[in-house]
Amino acid sequence: MRITLNPQTRKQIAAAARRAGGFLLDGLYPRRCPVCDEIVARGESLICSGCLKQISWVTGPVCKTCGREVSDERTEYCPDCMRRRHAFDKGISLCNYNEITGASMARIKYQGRREYLDFYGTAIAKGMGKRLTALKADLLVPVPVHPARERKRGFNQARVLAERISTEMDRLYRMKIPVGNVLYRRKKTLPQKDLNPGERLKNLEEAFEAGEIPANIQRVILADDIYTTGSTADACAKALKRAGVREVFVVTICIGNQ
């Protein structure tokens, strides 16, 4: 005997199945807080309620180019952006890089805590969604890592971040910014964290290449985990603009203070 279910009943069954699947996954792979790394209690979303207060969020006023916090409203640019012109057009970041966020980023990269990126990607969409919408971007482009490094790590944190931002922007604002893997790492570079600003620039010379980009893709948001000197963002922006992109914006989880 065939049983026919009405649409509402089918939706209820599907929702129950998703909840059951969620409980099962949480049991097998419990979500950990991106700050303290302890298992997050059910009902506390993606981060411990106490740990949420420990994050140093980027607030105004900020540099008009990179998005780093500056001393007061009269200061238009940070010292770094006053010294040199960047290849990207504008940057925005969620929080300040410090001991707490630094440890969180390190656990993502070196301990496989990719679930942290669910929190950070969602927070970017919620907290900066209107600014991202105003950019009217055609594509979200993750900063690529070298294939050998990605194989060792198991994922590219920038791609996971970009995909989460895209999903949440669509859910919250009905604005779908597709993720495009149009950048490629041409050579394996040294870790940027171990280099000074001059060495960073030299390290990234000709490191990135953009594939063929359709003519209608003119405004791109580059996604990455950390902005320090802007060397990576500049190298990627140059590659994208050589391929025909007109404007490159940068969104990162955290930004370092100069």
Side-chain angles (χ1 to χ4, degrees):
M1 182 177 67
R2 183 177 180 181
I3 299 174
T4 302
L5 301 175
N6 62 52
Q8 184 61 32
T9 302
R10 287 200 297 268
K11 287 181 181 179
Q12 291 173 346
I13 292 173
R18 286 195 297 270
R19 288 195 296 272
F23 279 114
L24 180 60
L25 285 174
D26 286 348
L28 293 173
Y29 306 102
R31 184 174 294 280
R32 292 184 177 273
C33 171
V35 171
C36 69
D37 199 44
E38 296 297 325
I39 294 174
V40 178
R42 286 196 65 85
E44 284 203 293
S45 187
L46 303 173
I47 188 173
C48 298
S49 55
C51 289
L52 183 63
K53 300 173 184 177
Q54 296 184 45
I55 294 177
S56 173
W57 308 103
V58 171
T59 58
V62 298
C63 172
K64 288 186 175 181
T65 298
C66 71
R68 181 181 284 118
E69 288 184 341
V70 293
S71 57
D72 57 64
E73 293 285 355
R74 294 171 297 177
T75 304
E76 294 187 331
Y77 302 100
C78 70
D80 177 62
C81 291
M82 284 192 287
R83 285 193 300 267
R84 64 191 178 106
R85 185 180 179 86
H86 289 287
F88 64 88
D89 296 274
K90 186 178 180 64
I92 55 176
S93 293
L94 179 69
C95 52
N96 294 301
Y97 185 89
N98 55 22
E99 185 177 348
I100 289 172
T101 51
S104 185
M105 297 302 105
R107 287 195 293 267
I108 290 171
K109 290 181 179 179
Y110 309 120
Q111 296 180 26
R113 295 287 193 245
R114 63 186 295 169
E115 67 267 31
Y116 291 3
L117 295 164
D118 290 343
F119 165 71
Y120 288 118
T122 300
I124 285 171
K126 285 183 176 179
M128 303 191 295
K130 290 183 179 179
R131 280 181 282 172
L132 293 177
T133 300
L135 298 176
K136 298 180 180 178
D138 304 305
L139 205 64
L140 256 169
V141 177
V143 171
V145 297
H146 191 273
R149 191 165 289 159
E150 185 169 351
R151 284 194 296 271
K152 181 178 180 181
R153 191 173 295 166
F155 62 97
N156 173 8
Q157 72 279 357
R159 184 181 303 135
V160 176
L161 176 67
E163 289 169 350
R164 184 69 181 202
I165 293 171
S166 177
T167 297
E168 291 301 309
M169 287 294 292
D170 188 34
R171 184 179 70 85
L172 295 170
Y173 304 97
R174 295 294 182 266
M175 181 181 180
K176 183 68 175 178
I177 311 175
V179 176
N181 298 305
V182 298
L183 272 178
Y184 306 93
R185 201 104 182 195
R186 296 175 60 183
K187 64 179 183 180
K188 190 174 183 180
T189 54
L190 296 171
Q192 289 287 90
K193 64 184 178 66
D194 299 328
L195 307 176
N196 63 40
E199 290 171 334
R200 286 169 184 260
L201 287 171
K202 187 174 182 180
N203 187 44
L204 291 170
E205 285 180 359
E206 300 180 355
F208 300 100
E209 182 178 1
E212 185 175 345
I213 298 177
N216 64 318
I217 302 298
Q218 289 293 298
R219 298 163 71 89
V220 159
I221 297 175
L222 189 68
D224 204 5
D225 55 343
I226 303 170
Y227 181 103
T228 307
T229 65
S231 299
T232 299
D234 280 334
C236 290
K238 288 176 182 177
L240 288 165
K241 289 186 175 183
R242 284 196 299 267
V245 173
R246 182 163 52 89
E247 293 179 279
V248 177
F249 309 103
V250 181
V251 62
T252 57
I253 297 171
C254 49
I255 188 166
N257 292 314
Q258 290 276 308

